[in-house]
Amino acid sequence: MKIYTTNDYIKDIFGEKLYKLSLSMGLTCPNRDGTCSVGGCIFCSEKGSGDFGGSSGDTLSIQIDKEKKRLSTKLVAERYIAYFQSFTNTYGDIDYLRSRYFEVINRPDIAALDIATRPDCLGEDVLDLIGELSSIKPVWIELGLQSIHERTADLINRGYKLDVYDEAVRKLKRYPVHIITHMIIGLPFEAKNEILETAKYISDSGVDGIKFQLLHVLKDTKLADMYYDKQFDVLSLEDYTDILVECIRNVRNDIVIHRLTGDGPKSILIAPLWSGDKKRVLNYIRKKIEEA
């Protein structure tokens, strides 16, 4: 089975290989600060899924320079994608957001912006800003959906309904942005057919890309408490890969597969421990995809 990967897409659009610099805006989320809930999603670490990113104590320019220096020991690149990964990167004062994004997008070493956010944090002022940014350089918008099933959404404390996602995609499609949706494989109590329904729904929603994420359990999360209480179990590598391959069969051929799995920092990873061996895991998954 042939898939359209991130590297394929980047080569098609930019004509060169680009690497991501993970940055932090020092923001939070509406399901952490009490706007719609507290505590965040049950799987999210205290760094808001930005465990591998820069420090919010540094300016964005300093973060970029530090990340470039870190990557320079392994690769050579002239341009990068600025990845705003942790927490909700459209959830803040619009003037603050504008100044931070323009600080980054105007750098000659930045080829594109990749902004992770929530569908319920895309007001008209934010959409106007996204449109303005996308007129300067390519902009990717990542939406954390995880599952289309309301029972699961309530369980993971997502904080918004499915129609909010639908409306966000519709509004984003006004602009020349690359829309990516996240989904998690292995959420508690979801059957395989429900996971496949999420993959197909995302594809049918008209987004440009999808990120498949293995559910992993991190320390000091509500999900960790549930795992220790034996309320659910995590997937094996074999089962995860089997479901992933079926998910890929349920999405459009032209959709960009931005991620095949995911891993948490080993220092806080509880389960599944097999996910910590990233090279072996990706080799296994890619082999199974090629054979499918």
Side-chain angles (χ1 to χ4, degrees), residues 13-78:
I13 299 301
F14 299 97
E16 62 183 303
K17 191 171 180 64
L18 300 177
Y19 298 90
K20 286 187 177 182
L21 306 175
S22 293
L23 310 174
S24 174
M25 291 265 275
L27 301 172
T28 185
C29 293
N31 65 344
R32 284 179 178 262
D33 68 2
T35 299
C36 66
S37 185
V38 294
C41 295
I42 64 172
F43 50 78
C44 202
S45 71
E46 64 177 11
K47 291 188 177 181
S49 297
D51 299 282
F52 298 106
S55 169
S56 60
D58 293 329
T59 66
L60 289 172
S61 291
I62 290 175
Q63 289 182 53
I64 288 171
D65 292 338
K66 283 184 175 180
E67 283 291 286
K68 286 173 61 176
K69 184 177 180 180
R70 180 181 64 82
L71 289 175
S72 68
T73 62
K74 299 181 290 184
L75 54 90
V76 177
E78 295 184 0

Side-chain angles (χ1 to χ4, degrees), residues 89-144:
N89 291 284
T90 59
Y91 185 58
D93 176 78
I94 192 65
D95 292 330
Y96 175 81
L97 296 176
R98 174 182 293 276
S99 65
R100 297 289 77 80
Y101 285 128
F102 272 93
E103 174 187 348
V104 173
I105 202 169
N106 285 322
R107 290 179 58 126
D109 55 351
I110 297 301
L113 302 186
D114 185 355
I115 301 171
T117 188
R118 292 165 55 94
D120 57 346
C121 294
L122 292 168
E124 290 300 327
D125 54 349
V126 171
L127 290 167
D128 288 342
L129 175 58
I130 289 171
E132 189 176 354
L133 293 168
S134 67
S135 70
I136 301 170
K137 289 179 182 176
V139 175
W140 300 0
I141 301 294
E142 301 194 15
L143 301 175

Side-chain angles (χ1 to χ4, degrees), residues 274-288:
W274 58 260
S275 66
D277 191 348
K278 190 170 184 178
K279 183 177 181 180
R280 182 182 74 87
V281 169
L282 285 174
N283 285 340
Y284 178 87
I285 290 173
R286 287 168 180 155
K287 181 174 183 291
K288 294 298 182 182

Side-chain angles (χ1 to χ4, degrees), residues 215-234:
L215 179 74
H216 52 258
V217 183
L218 303 178
K219 292 180 181 177
D220 300 320
T221 61
K222 177 66 179 299
L223 189 68
D225 295 336
M226 294 173 61
Y227 181 73
Y228 285 133
D229 286 343
K230 301 186 184 304
Q231 295 182 36
F232 73 100
D233 202 359
V234 293

Side-chain angles (χ1 to χ4, degrees), residues 141-160:
I141 301 294
E142 301 194 15
L143 301 175
L145 177 63
Q146 320 310 354
S147 173
I148 63 168
H149 303 288
E150 298 297 347
R151 167 177 50 84
T152 302
D154 292 342
L155 173 68
I156 64 176
N157 196 36
R158 191 179 67 192
Y160 66 85

